[in-house]
Each structure stands twice: as C-alpha cells, then as structure tokens.
Amino acid sequence: MSLAKSLEKKLIEAAEAVQKKAYAPYSGFQVGAALLGKSGQIYTGCNVENSSYGATICAERGAVVQAVAAGEREFTALAIVTASPEPCPPCGICRQFLREFGSDLLLIMVSPPTKKICRVLLTDYLPAAFSCEFLKEAMEEE
Ligand code: THU
C-alpha cells in the first residue's frame, strides 16, 4: 500500500500544479488531484465551481473523467492537494465515484503548508460500499 518515493513525489507535484488552475471563486478552496493509471500515465483534475453551487465538480472526479476519456480505467493511486492545515479527504460523492474503478486505490492527501501527508486505502474510507456487484445479481434475475 505504498508507492515508490520518486513516483509519489511526481504525483504530488502534478496535483500541486493543477491545484493552481482550480476555479473556486465562491469557496476560495482550491483542490488539485492527480490520478496514477496502471499504465503509468498521470491524469489531473481541479475543482470547478458554479454560481449554481450544486453544479460544482470536485477535483477528484475531474481527474477520473480525464482518465476515462483517455481510455484508462485502472488506477493505482490518487494524490489530493489542498491548502488546509490538515490533509483533505475526498468527499462522499467522490469516494463513490472512485469506487466504481476499484477499492484498493491508494489515497495520498497532502497539505503543502504544513507538509502533513496522509495515506489511506479507498476501501478504508468507504467500507461496505455499493458497487456493480449488486446490479449484476439483479440483472441476472430478470
Ligand atoms: N472539493 C473538492 O474538489 N474535492 C473534495 O473532495 C472536497 C471538496 C471542492 C468542491 C468545492 O469547489 C470546494 O472544494 C469547497 O467544497
């Protein structure tokens, strides 16, 4: 449940770079996410807010959308960078969105101002998750 130090550093740097692109005029809370595909490719996303607040999309989901659109669906790790003093975990919607593509994703949450870093497996943040397994059973019954 860990990445090589150099790869982790590269992933965090990618998240830090995209964090600067976040569009967060309402909350002022900028989030950068970098998702490592099993191919080795890195996909990034930032939060994009909207005047209709509920239309906002989080950085984590942005990174997943980029990856899937590029043809990649298997992932190893996700770095999340915020300026909060404590490393910021993904929201509930993002946990479920990430879970679609596997439960053993390594989450690396980083606060550059305090240099705090937290590493957790997605399955530990979303135990007893709803997944496609339940839908498969229902579809077989029809
Ligand atoms: N945000 C994310 O980008 N990821 C999360 O997991 C938590 C929240 C964003 C959404 C919104 O633009 C801002 O942070 C404040 O909620």
Side-chain angles (χ1 to χ4, degrees):
M1 168 202 161
S2 68
L3 282 188
K5 278 290 150 212
S6 59
L7 189 53
E8 183 179 273
K9 187 168 177 278
K10 196 176 160 195
L11 198 61
I12 292 170
E13 282 170 0
E16 283 179 315
V18 74
Q19 184 198 13
K20 295 179 178 68
K21 306 259 175 62
Y23 175 71
Y26 306 107
S27 72
F29 189 70
Q30 294 190 299
V31 186
L35 183 62
L36 179 63
K38 287 208 171 148
S39 68
Q41 187 70 38
I42 291 174
Y43 306 92
T44 58
C46 59
N47 53 331
V48 180
E49 298 187 345
N50 193 277
S51 54
S52 178
Y53 297 171
T56 292
I57 185 162
C58 294
E60 297 89 329
R61 277 177 284 148
V64 172
V65 169
Q66 285 276 350
V68 172
E72 185 135 24
R73 295 179 185 173
E74 291 187 297
F75 310 110
T76 307
L78 173 72
I80 303 164
V81 170
T82 56
S84 51
E86 293 299 323
C88 177
C91 78
I93 296 173
C94 288
R95 291 178 201 201
Q96 181 66 31
F97 202 83
L98 290 163
R99 176 63 182 76
E100 183 70 17
F101 301 99
S103 59
D104 62 350
L105 182 73
L106 174 64
L107 303 173
I108 305 162
M109 295 150 280
V110 187
S111 163
T114 59
K115 296 191 166 49
K116 285 190 186 177
I117 179 159
C118 178
R119 300 173 186 86
V120 177
L121 279 181
L122 177 61
T123 188
D124 294 325
Y125 270 176
L126 193 65
F130 180 77
S131 72
C132 63
E133 295 306 312
F134 295 93
L135 297 179
K136 274 182 197 152
E137 280 168 26
M139 275 156 29
E140 279 161 16
E141 279 163 20
E142 276 179 17

